[in-house]
Amino acid sequence: AVPAFAGAPDAYQLKKDYPADAKTMLENMKIATDLARGTPGMEDTVKNTRSEMNDFVAFYRRQPKVAGMPSFSTMYTAINTLSGHYASYGNKYPVPSKRKERLAQQYKEIERALARGK
């Protein structure tokens, strides 16, 4: 059985509205970060999240208003961290605890910046 979030491609589509997309991107990254080895649907979830991360960066880094925001620069760093992990270890290998801690800290910073509208 595949978890509901893994089979819902709409959950990975950009709406071209930065605050909404950033929140969705953040939630999907948290889900991917917390997956344990052998979680049903892990590969699909990671694949969809990686694709969304690529779309997110490609779309928003070209927009000067968004690219200069603290939430975007921290999100960009977190995306690079998570993306690099999966590029090195593949879609089946869970995020190690040290990297998870660093990402959790970045996720909190992103949430704070988004809450302030930055």
Side-chain angles (χ1 to χ4, degrees), residues 20-70:
D21 285 342
K23 285 176 184 153
T24 302
M25 179 79 267
L26 185 58
E27 282 310 306
N28 290 337
M29 287 173 69
K30 284 180 180 179
I31 289 167
T33 302
D34 289 338
L35 292 173
R37 184 184 291 271
T39 301
M42 179 177 182
E43 263 192 284
D44 286 337
T45 300
V46 170
K47 224 178 279 177
N48 288 330
T49 302
R50 288 180 74 183
S51 174
E52 182 188 12
M53 289 189 297
N54 290 335
D55 294 346
F56 184 89
V57 168
F59 183 75
Y60 287 111
R61 89 171 142 210
R62 290 175 290 161
Q63 298 184 19
K65 276 186 181 176
V66 172
M69 297 172 97

Short mmCIF file of all heavy atoms in Angstrom, two decimals, residues 20-70:
data_model
loop_
_atom_site.label_atom_id
_atom_site.label_comp_id
_atom_site.label_asym_id
_atom_site.label_seq_id
_atom_site.Cartn_x
_atom_site.Cartn_y
_atom_site.Cartn_z
N ALA A 20 2.39 29.98 -1.02
CA ALA A 20 1.72 28.67 -1.06
C ALA A 20 2.69 27.58 -1.51
O ALA A 20 2.76 26.51 -0.90
CB ALA A 20 0.51 28.72 -1.99
N ASP A 21 3.47 27.87 -2.55
CA ASP A 21 4.43 26.88 -3.05
C ASP A 21 5.52 26.59 -2.03
O ASP A 21 5.94 25.45 -1.87
CB ASP A 21 5.05 27.35 -4.36
CG ASP A 21 4.09 27.23 -5.55
OD1 ASP A 21 3.09 26.48 -5.44
OD2 ASP A 21 4.36 27.87 -6.58
N ALA A 22 5.99 27.62 -1.34
CA ALA A 22 7.05 27.43 -0.34
C ALA A 22 6.55 26.55 0.80
O ALA A 22 7.27 25.66 1.27
CB ALA A 22 7.53 28.78 0.18
N LYS A 23 5.31 26.77 1.24
CA LYS A 23 4.75 25.95 2.32
C LYS A 23 4.58 24.50 1.88
O LYS A 23 4.91 23.57 2.62
CB LYS A 23 3.41 26.53 2.79
CG LYS A 23 3.60 27.78 3.63
CD LYS A 23 2.29 28.42 4.02
CE LYS A 23 2.58 29.72 4.77
NZ LYS A 23 1.55 30.70 4.65
N THR A 24 4.08 24.30 0.67
CA THR A 24 3.91 22.94 0.14
C THR A 24 5.27 22.26 -0.03
O THR A 24 5.45 21.11 0.35
CB THR A 24 3.16 22.97 -1.21
OG1 THR A 24 1.91 23.62 -1.01
CG2 THR A 24 2.93 21.58 -1.75
N MET A 25 6.22 23.00 -0.59
CA MET A 25 7.57 22.46 -0.80
C MET A 25 8.17 22.05 0.54
O MET A 25 8.73 20.96 0.68
CB MET A 25 8.43 23.55 -1.47
CG MET A 25 9.86 23.17 -1.74
SD MET A 25 10.05 22.14 -3.22
CE MET A 25 9.97 20.53 -2.52
N LEU A 26 8.02 22.89 1.53
CA LEU A 26 8.56 22.62 2.86
C LEU A 26 7.92 21.36 3.46
O LEU A 26 8.62 20.49 3.99
CB LEU A 26 8.31 23.83 3.77
CG LEU A 26 8.91 23.77 5.16
CD1 LEU A 26 10.43 23.58 5.10
CD2 LEU A 26 8.57 25.05 5.92
N GLU A 27 6.61 21.23 3.35
CA GLU A 27 5.92 20.05 3.89
C GLU A 27 6.39 18.77 3.18
O GLU A 27 6.65 17.76 3.83
CB GLU A 27 4.40 20.19 3.76
CG GLU A 27 3.78 21.08 4.81
CD GLU A 27 4.22 20.75 6.23
OE1 GLU A 27 4.10 19.59 6.66
OE2 GLU A 27 4.73 21.66 6.92
N ASN A 28 6.51 18.83 1.86
CA ASN A 28 6.95 17.66 1.11
C ASN A 28 8.40 17.29 1.44
O ASN A 28 8.74 16.11 1.52
CB ASN A 28 6.77 17.88 -0.39
CG ASN A 28 5.30 17.89 -0.78
OD1 ASN A 28 4.45 17.34 -0.08
ND2 ASN A 28 4.98 18.52 -1.89
N MET A 29 9.23 18.30 1.67
CA MET A 29 10.62 18.04 2.06
C MET A 29 10.68 17.40 3.45
O MET A 29 11.47 16.49 3.69
CB MET A 29 11.44 19.32 2.02
CG MET A 29 11.73 19.79 0.60
SD MET A 29 12.52 21.42 0.54
CE MET A 29 14.13 21.04 1.23
N LYS A 30 9.84 17.88 4.36
CA LYS A 30 9.79 17.30 5.71
C LYS A 30 9.40 15.83 5.64
O LYS A 30 9.99 14.98 6.31
CB LYS A 30 8.79 18.05 6.59
CG LYS A 30 9.26 19.38 7.09
CD LYS A 30 8.16 20.00 7.94
CE LYS A 30 8.50 21.34 8.49
NZ LYS A 30 7.40 21.88 9.29
N ILE A 31 8.40 15.53 4.82
CA ILE A 31 7.94 14.14 4.67
C ILE A 31 9.08 13.28 4.13
O ILE A 31 9.38 12.22 4.67
CB ILE A 31 6.70 14.08 3.73
CG1 ILE A 31 5.48 14.68 4.43
CG2 ILE A 31 6.42 12.64 3.31
CD1 ILE A 31 4.30 14.97 3.52
N ALA A 32 9.75 13.76 3.07
CA ALA A 32 10.86 13.00 2.47
C ALA A 32 12.00 12.83 3.46
O ALA A 32 12.61 11.76 3.54
CB ALA A 32 11.35 13.70 1.20
N THR A 33 12.29 13.86 4.25
CA THR A 33 13.38 13.81 5.22
C THR A 33 13.11 12.79 6.31
O THR A 33 14.03 12.12 6.79
CB THR A 33 13.59 15.21 5.86
OG1 THR A 33 13.87 16.15 4.82
CG2 THR A 33 14.73 15.21 6.86
N ASP A 34 11.86 12.65 6.70
CA ASP A 34 11.50 11.75 7.81
C ASP A 34 11.28 10.30 7.42
O ASP A 34 11.07 9.46 8.29
CB ASP A 34 10.25 12.28 8.54
CG ASP A 34 10.57 13.55 9.34
OD1 ASP A 34 11.75 13.76 9.68
OD2 ASP A 34 9.62 14.31 9.61
N LEU A 35 11.32 10.00 6.14
CA LEU A 35 11.08 8.62 5.71
C LEU A 35 12.18 7.68 6.21
O LEU A 35 13.35 8.01 6.17
CB LEU A 35 11.02 8.54 4.18
CG LEU A 35 9.82 9.22 3.51
CD1 LEU A 35 9.99 9.21 2.00
CD2 LEU A 35 8.53 8.55 3.90
N ALA A 36 11.74 6.51 6.68
CA ALA A 36 12.69 5.49 7.14
C ALA A 36 12.88 4.46 6.04
O ALA A 36 12.02 4.29 5.17
CB ALA A 36 12.14 4.82 8.40
N ARG A 37 14.00 3.76 6.10
CA ARG A 37 14.28 2.72 5.10
C ARG A 37 13.11 1.73 5.07
O ARG A 37 12.61 1.30 6.10
CB ARG A 37 15.56 1.98 5.48
CG ARG A 37 15.97 0.95 4.43
CD ARG A 37 17.19 0.17 4.89
NE ARG A 37 18.39 0.97 4.91
CZ ARG A 37 19.22 1.12 3.86
NH1 ARG A 37 18.95 0.52 2.73
NH2 ARG A 37 20.29 1.86 3.97
N GLY A 38 12.66 1.40 3.86
CA GLY A 38 11.60 0.41 3.71
C GLY A 38 10.19 0.97 3.83
O GLY A 38 9.22 0.22 3.75
N THR A 39 10.04 2.29 4.01
CA THR A 39 8.71 2.88 4.07
C THR A 39 8.01 2.65 2.73
O THR A 39 8.59 2.94 1.69
CB THR A 39 8.80 4.41 4.33
OG1 THR A 39 9.48 4.63 5.56
CG2 THR A 39 7.42 5.05 4.39
N PRO A 40 6.77 2.12 2.77
CA PRO A 40 6.05 1.91 1.50
C PRO A 40 5.91 3.22 0.74
O PRO A 40 5.57 4.24 1.32
CB PRO A 40 4.68 1.39 1.95
CG PRO A 40 4.89 0.86 3.33
CD PRO A 40 5.99 1.70 3.93
N GLY A 41 6.21 3.19 -0.55
CA GLY A 41 6.07 4.38 -1.38
C GLY A 41 7.22 5.37 -1.27
O GLY A 41 7.16 6.45 -1.84
N MET A 42 8.28 4.98 -0.54
CA MET A 42 9.39 5.91 -0.31
C MET A 42 10.00 6.41 -1.62
O MET A 42 10.21 7.60 -1.80
CB MET A 42 10.47 5.26 0.55
CG MET A 42 11.67 6.16 0.80
SD MET A 42 12.85 5.38 1.90
CE MET A 42 14.07 6.66 2.06
N GLU A 43 10.27 5.49 -2.54
CA GLU A 43 10.92 5.88 -3.79
C GLU A 43 10.08 6.88 -4.58
O GLU A 43 10.61 7.87 -5.09
CB GLU A 43 11.21 4.66 -4.66
CG GLU A 43 12.62 4.16 -4.50
CD GLU A 43 12.99 3.15 -5.57
OE1 GLU A 43 12.55 2.01 -5.45
OE2 GLU A 43 13.70 3.55 -6.52
N ASP A 44 8.77 6.65 -4.66
CA ASP A 44 7.89 7.58 -5.37
C ASP A 44 7.85 8.93 -4.68
O ASP A 44 7.87 9.98 -5.34
CB ASP A 44 6.47 7.02 -5.48
CG ASP A 44 6.37 5.89 -6.50
OD1 ASP A 44 7.22 5.83 -7.41
OD2 ASP A 44 5.44 5.07 -6.38
N THR A 45 7.76 8.92 -3.36
CA THR A 45 7.71 10.17 -2.60
C THR A 45 8.99 10.96 -2.84
O THR A 45 8.93 12.17 -3.11
CB THR A 45 7.54 9.87 -1.09
OG1 THR A 45 6.32 9.17 -0.91
CG2 THR A 45 7.52 11.15 -0.28
N VAL A 46 10.13 10.29 -2.76
CA VAL A 46 11.40 10.97 -2.97
C VAL A 46 11.51 11.48 -4.41
O VAL A 46 11.92 12.63 -4.65
CB VAL A 46 12.59 10.05 -2.61
CG1 VAL A 46 13.92 10.65 -3.04
CG2 VAL A 46 12.60 9.76 -1.11
N LYS A 47 11.12 10.65 -5.36
CA LYS A 47 11.18 11.04 -6.78
C LYS A 47 10.33 12.29 -7.02
O LYS A 47 10.77 13.24 -7.67
CB LYS A 47 10.66 9.89 -7.64
CG LYS A 47 11.51 9.62 -8.86
CD LYS A 47 10.98 8.45 -9.65
CE LYS A 47 11.43 7.14 -9.02
NZ LYS A 47 10.92 5.95 -9.66
N ASN A 48 9.10 12.28 -6.49
CA ASN A 48 8.19 13.42 -6.67
C ASN A 48 8.74 14.67 -5.98
O ASN A 48 8.65 15.77 -6.52
CB ASN A 48 6.80 13.10 -6.13
CG ASN A 48 6.04 12.12 -7.02
OD1 ASN A 48 6.24 12.09 -8.22
ND2 ASN A 48 5.19 11.31 -6.42
N THR A 49 9.29 14.50 -4.79
CA THR A 49 9.84 15.64 -4.05
C THR A 49 11.05 16.21 -4.77
O THR A 49 11.19 17.43 -4.88
CB THR A 49 10.20 15.23 -2.61
OG1 THR A 49 9.03 14.71 -1.96
CG2 THR A 49 10.73 16.41 -1.80
N ARG A 50 11.91 15.34 -5.28
CA ARG A 50 13.09 15.82 -6.01
C ARG A 50 12.68 16.61 -7.24
O ARG A 50 13.26 17.65 -7.55
CB ARG A 50 13.99 14.65 -6.41
CG ARG A 50 14.72 14.04 -5.24
CD ARG A 50 15.59 12.89 -5.66
NE ARG A 50 16.78 13.38 -6.36
CZ ARG A 50 17.70 12.58 -6.89
NH1 ARG A 50 17.57 11.27 -6.82
NH2 ARG A 50 18.75 13.09 -7.48
N SER A 51 11.68 16.11 -7.95
CA SER A 51 11.18 16.80 -9.14
C SER A 51 10.60 18.16 -8.76
O SER A 51 10.86 19.17 -9.43
CB SER A 51 10.12 15.92 -9.81
OG SER A 51 9.54 16.61 -10.88
N GLU A 52 9.84 18.19 -7.67
CA GLU A 52 9.25 19.45 -7.21
C GLU A 52 10.36 20.43 -6.79
O GLU A 52 10.26 21.63 -7.07
CB GLU A 52 8.29 19.20 -6.03
CG GLU A 52 7.62 20.47 -5.55
CD GLU A 52 6.82 20.27 -4.27
OE1 GLU A 52 6.96 19.22 -3.61
OE2 GLU A 52 6.07 21.19 -3.92
N MET A 53 11.40 19.93 -6.12
CA MET A 53 12.50 20.81 -5.71
C MET A 53 13.16 21.45 -6.94
O MET A 53 13.44 22.65 -6.93
CB MET A 53 13.54 20.03 -4.88
CG MET A 53 13.05 19.64 -3.51
SD MET A 53 14.30 18.94 -2.39
CE MET A 53 14.80 17.44 -3.20
N ASN A 54 13.38 20.64 -7.98
CA ASN A 54 13.97 21.18 -9.22
C ASN A 54 13.08 22.25 -9.83
O ASN A 54 13.56 23.32 -10.23
CB ASN A 54 14.22 20.06 -10.23
CG ASN A 54 15.33 19.15 -9.81
OD1 ASN A 54 16.21 19.53 -9.05
ND2 ASN A 54 15.30 17.92 -10.29
N ASP A 55 11.77 21.96 -9.92
CA ASP A 55 10.82 22.93 -10.49
C ASP A 55 10.79 24.21 -9.67
O ASP A 55 10.76 25.32 -10.22
CB ASP A 55 9.41 22.34 -10.55
CG ASP A 55 9.29 21.16 -11.51
OD1 ASP A 55 10.21 20.96 -12.33
OD2 ASP A 55 8.27 20.44 -11.43
N PHE A 56 10.77 24.06 -8.35
CA PHE A 56 10.69 25.20 -7.43
C PHE A 56 11.88 26.13 -7.64
O PHE A 56 11.72 27.33 -7.83
CB PHE A 56 10.65 24.68 -5.99
CG PHE A 56 10.48 25.75 -4.95
CD1 PHE A 56 9.21 26.15 -4.57
CD2 PHE A 56 11.57 26.33 -4.35
CE1 PHE A 56 9.04 27.15 -3.61
CE2 PHE A 56 11.43 27.32 -3.39
CZ PHE A 56 10.15 27.73 -3.02
N VAL A 57 13.08 25.56 -7.62
CA VAL A 57 14.29 26.37 -7.77
C VAL A 57 14.34 27.00 -9.17
O VAL A 57 14.62 28.19 -9.30
CB VAL A 57 15.56 25.53 -7.50
CG1 VAL A 57 16.81 26.27 -7.93
CG2 VAL A 57 15.65 25.16 -6.02
N ALA A 58 14.05 26.21 -10.19
CA ALA A 58 14.10 26.72 -11.55
C ALA A 58 13.13 27.89 -11.75
O ALA A 58 13.46 28.88 -12.42
CB ALA A 58 13.79 25.61 -12.55
N PHE A 59 11.95 27.78 -11.16
CA PHE A 59 10.94 28.82 -11.34
C PHE A 59 11.24 30.07 -10.51
O PHE A 59 11.20 31.19 -11.02
CB PHE A 59 9.54 28.29 -10.99
CG PHE A 59 8.45 29.29 -11.23
CD1 PHE A 59 8.02 29.58 -12.53
CD2 PHE A 59 7.84 29.95 -10.18
CE1 PHE A 59 7.02 30.50 -12.76
CE2 PHE A 59 6.83 30.88 -10.40
CZ PHE A 59 6.42 31.17 -11.69
N TYR A 60 11.55 29.90 -9.23
CA TYR A 60 11.65 31.06 -8.33
C TYR A 60 13.01 31.75 -8.30
O TYR A 60 13.09 32.92 -7.98
CB TYR A 60 11.21 30.68 -6.92
CG TYR A 60 9.71 30.51 -6.84
CD1 TYR A 60 9.14 29.26 -6.63
CD2 TYR A 60 8.86 31.59 -7.00
CE1 TYR A 60 7.76 29.11 -6.58
CE2 TYR A 60 7.48 31.46 -6.96
CZ TYR A 60 6.94 30.21 -6.74
OH TYR A 60 5.58 30.06 -6.69
N ARG A 61 14.08 31.09 -8.68
CA ARG A 61 15.38 31.77 -8.60
C ARG A 61 15.50 32.85 -9.67
O ARG A 61 16.35 33.72 -9.58
CB ARG A 61 16.52 30.76 -8.65
CG ARG A 61 17.00 30.44 -10.02
CD ARG A 61 18.25 29.61 -10.04
NE ARG A 61 18.08 28.67 -11.14
CZ ARG A 61 18.59 27.48 -11.20
NH1 ARG A 61 19.32 27.04 -10.22
NH2 ARG A 61 18.37 26.71 -12.23
N ARG A 62 14.67 32.78 -10.70
CA ARG A 62 14.69 33.79 -11.77
C ARG A 62 13.83 35.01 -11.42
O ARG A 62 13.71 35.92 -12.23
CB ARG A 62 14.20 33.18 -13.08
CG ARG A 62 15.18 32.18 -13.66
CD ARG A 62 14.61 31.53 -14.88
NE ARG A 62 13.52 30.63 -14.46
CZ ARG A 62 12.58 30.17 -15.23
NH1 ARG A 62 12.54 30.51 -16.48
NH2 ARG A 62 11.65 29.36 -14.77
N GLN A 63 13.21 35.01 -10.27
CA GLN A 63 12.35 36.12 -9.88
C GLN A 63 13.05 36.93 -8.78
O GLN A 63 13.10 36.49 -7.63
CB GLN A 63 11.01 35.59 -9.38
CG GLN A 63 10.26 34.84 -10.46
CD GLN A 63 8.90 34.39 -10.01
OE1 GLN A 63 8.35 34.91 -9.05
NE2 GLN A 63 8.34 33.43 -10.72
N PRO A 64 13.58 38.09 -9.14
CA PRO A 64 14.37 38.88 -8.18
C PRO A 64 13.67 39.16 -6.85
O PRO A 64 14.30 39.11 -5.80
CB PRO A 64 14.65 40.19 -8.92
CG PRO A 64 14.42 39.89 -10.36
CD PRO A 64 13.46 38.73 -10.43
N LYS A 65 12.37 39.42 -6.88
CA LYS A 65 11.63 39.70 -5.63
C LYS A 65 11.68 38.50 -4.70
O LYS A 65 11.81 38.64 -3.49
CB LYS A 65 10.17 40.05 -5.92
CG LYS A 65 9.95 41.49 -6.28
CD LYS A 65 8.46 41.78 -6.41
CE LYS A 65 8.22 43.21 -6.80
NZ LYS A 65 6.81 43.48 -7.02
N VAL A 66 11.51 37.31 -5.25
CA VAL A 66 11.50 36.08 -4.45
C VAL A 66 12.92 35.64 -4.10
O VAL A 66 13.22 35.30 -2.97
CB VAL A 66 10.75 34.94 -5.19
CG1 VAL A 66 10.90 33.62 -4.46
CG2 VAL A 66 9.28 35.29 -5.35
N ALA A 67 13.82 35.69 -5.08
CA ALA A 67 15.18 35.19 -4.89
C ALA A 67 15.92 35.93 -3.79
O ALA A 67 16.83 35.37 -3.17
CB ALA A 67 15.96 35.28 -6.21
N GLY A 68 15.52 37.16 -3.49
CA GLY A 68 16.17 37.94 -2.44
C GLY A 68 15.57 37.72 -1.05
O GLY A 68 16.08 38.29 -0.08
N MET A 69 14.53 36.94 -0.96
CA MET A 69 13.87 36.74 0.34
C MET A 69 14.65 35.75 1.20
O MET A 69 15.17 34.76 0.69
CB MET A 69 12.45 36.21 0.13
CG MET A 69 11.54 37.15 -0.61
SD MET A 69 9.97 36.35 -1.00
CE MET A 69 8.99 36.96 0.35
N PRO A 70 14.72 36.01 2.53
CA PRO A 70 15.41 35.08 3.43
C PRO A 70 14.82 33.67 3.37
O PRO A 70 15.57 32.69 3.41
CB PRO A 70 15.20 35.69 4.81
CG PRO A 70 14.93 37.13 4.57
CD PRO A 70 14.25 37.20 3.23
#
